[in-house]
Amino acid sequence: MNLIIDGKPYTIEVEPDMPLLWAMRDMLNIKGPKFGCGAGLCGACTVIIDGAAVRSCSIAAADVTGEVRTILSLAEGERLHPVQQAWMDEQVAQCGYCQAGQIMNAVALLEGNPNPSDEEIAEAMAGNLCRCGTYPKIKAAIRKASVEMAGV
Ligand code: FES
Ligand code: FES
């Protein structure tokens, strides 16, 4: 089957039910998306497919039809994506394990809604868990990135 991930084409042989996360990490050495629960419950594996945040542990690679974007595609050379920069500015990460998924979920949110309300942020991010409790800083970083991306 063919996949396009972060702008690069790949051709791999996969079992029909192999999750996209497994294909990326174990077959293609794309390690940006993390394995957390493997059951669609934590968000650590979040990627963007056709503009939507998707749990890559919960979709079969064989079912992917759109281009996959991972956190590895966000920065342009030395220049961080505004969401990544806001994460740095707000010093969001603690252990960091959940953060790739948090950032990809936030990017999907802001690309679809550049100026979300606090309620919309809370709703969009509710499925991304952080055992370190970085939620207030995540919210602050999304607000900051929103100013950058939407000019508000
Ligand atoms: S690893 Fe995919 S949602 Fe937890
Ligand atoms: S920063 Fe540790 S799990 Fe989120």
Side-chain angles (χ1 to χ4, degrees):
M1 69 160 300
N2 299 316
L3 286 168
I4 298 176
I5 303 173
D6 295 336
K8 294 185 196 156
Y10 298 91
T11 300
I12 51 174
E13 297 295 324
V14 292
E15 296 295 321
D17 59 350
M18 174 180 274
L20 174 62
L21 179 64
W22 274 241
M24 289 191 294
R25 291 186 59 86
D26 294 349
M27 298 181 73
L28 299 173
N29 202 33
I30 296 171
K31 306 282 193 182
K34 305 302 182 198
F35 174 83
C37 64
L41 301 172
C42 74
C45 64
T46 303
V47 297
I48 297 175
I49 303 176
D50 290 337
V54 173
R55 308 306 190 225
S56 62
C57 71
S58 299
I59 181 171
D63 291 338
V64 173
T65 54
E67 180 166 348
V68 179
R69 293 163 60 203
T70 79
I71 191 164
L72 301 177
S73 69
L74 290 185
E76 294 179 16
E78 299 282 303
R79 190 184 161 155
L80 295 178
H81 185 282
V83 173
Q84 291 175 305
Q85 187 60 58
W87 245 248
M88 297 288 284
D89 293 345
E90 295 294 330
Q91 300 185 357
V92 174
Q94 291 295 315
C95 83
Y97 200 83
C98 72
Q99 297 294 330
Q102 303 277 5
I103 287 172
M104 292 311 286
N105 214 71
V107 169
L109 166 65
L110 292 173
E111 287 181 347
N113 179 5
N115 187 23
S117 66
D118 286 347
E119 291 73 26
E120 287 169 330
I121 293 172
E123 184 178 344
M125 300 301 294
N128 285 72
L129 305 184
C130 175
R131 66 188 173 186
C132 302
T134 63
Y135 302 113
K137 289 195 169 188
I138 287 171
K139 195 171 174 185
I142 292 173
R143 286 255 66 92
K144 189 177 182 83
S146 168
V147 172
E148 176 72 21
M149 291 173 71
V152 294

